Amino acid sequence: MDTDDELRIDAPHRELLDQILDKWSLSVLNELCDRPCRFNELRRAIPQVTQKSLTTTLRRLERNGVIEREVVSTRPVAVRYQITPLGKTLRPPIDVLLAWASRNMPAIERARERFEEHEEQ
């Protein structure tokens, strides 16, 4: 497969990138990079996420091998989530994207303002 085919918008990795780079996934991964967390710890750390969205995000990340779910035999039984070795490899490329956004935010804001002004005319 040549590089052009790998970067096509409908390539199989596109779904994976959509799932890993969405708003809640990035927030969850950011929390789990620091330490394993229980579900309610994640809810408190990311107060804007709904219970349903957090559950969906955790399942999607687990399905992709980025995090793992561990049932802790306590009373009551608890579930703890932690990032996998595969998940840890996401940190460098995500940091590069965040640095790019930070570096280019002034230019992006100017482009948005120009766009909005043009749309209003």
Side-chain angles (χ1 to χ4, degrees), residues 1-2 5 14 25 38 55 67 69-70 78 83 88 94 98-101 106 110-111 113 115-116 118-119:
M1 180 182 288
D2 84 21
D5 286 341
R14 181 65 189 184
S25 293
R38 292 183 177 185
T55 298
I67 65 168
R69 178 181 186 267
E70 176 190 7
I83 196 160
K88 288 181 182 179
I94 289 172
L98 292 173
W100 175 88
R110 288 191 302 274
E113 288 170 10
F115 180 86
E116 294 299 324
H118 180 4
E119 286 292 302

Side-chain angles (χ1 to χ4, degrees), residues 4-107:
D4 289 339
D5 286 341
E6 291 175 6
L7 298 177
R8 286 186 21 207
I9 195 77
D10 61 345
H13 65 273
R14 181 65 189 184
E15 178 188 9
L16 172 66
L17 292 175
D18 287 345
Q19 292 177 0
I20 291 174
L21 297 176
D22 79 341
K23 176 169 73 170
W24 300 129
S25 293
L26 288 176
S27 296
V28 166
L29 291 172
N30 188 53
E31 291 300 320
L32 295 179
C33 275
D34 292 338
R35 68 194 185 328
C37 292
R38 292 183 177 185
F39 185 89
N40 285 329
E41 290 175 304
L42 289 168
R43 287 275 323 263
R44 285 190 295 276
I46 313 166
Q48 304 87 351
V49 70
T50 64
Q51 182 170 337
K52 182 180 178 185
S53 291
L54 182 56
T55 298
T56 301
T57 298
L58 290 167
R59 287 184 182 188
R60 196 171 48 231
L61 291 172
E62 183 181 10
R63 178 178 176 261
N64 287 309
V66 176
I67 65 168
E68 59 190 10
R69 178 181 186 267
E70 176 190 7
V71 177
V72 182
S73 57
T74 57
R75 294 224 185 258
V77 173
V79 175
R80 181 172 46 214
Y81 296 91
Q82 61 188 22
I83 196 160
T84 64
L86 177 63
K88 288 181 182 179
T89 65
L90 284 169
R91 191 70 198 220
I94 289 172
D95 285 345
V96 167
L97 287 171
L98 292 173
W100 175 88
S102 181
R103 233 183 4 263
N104 290 289
M105 208 59 212

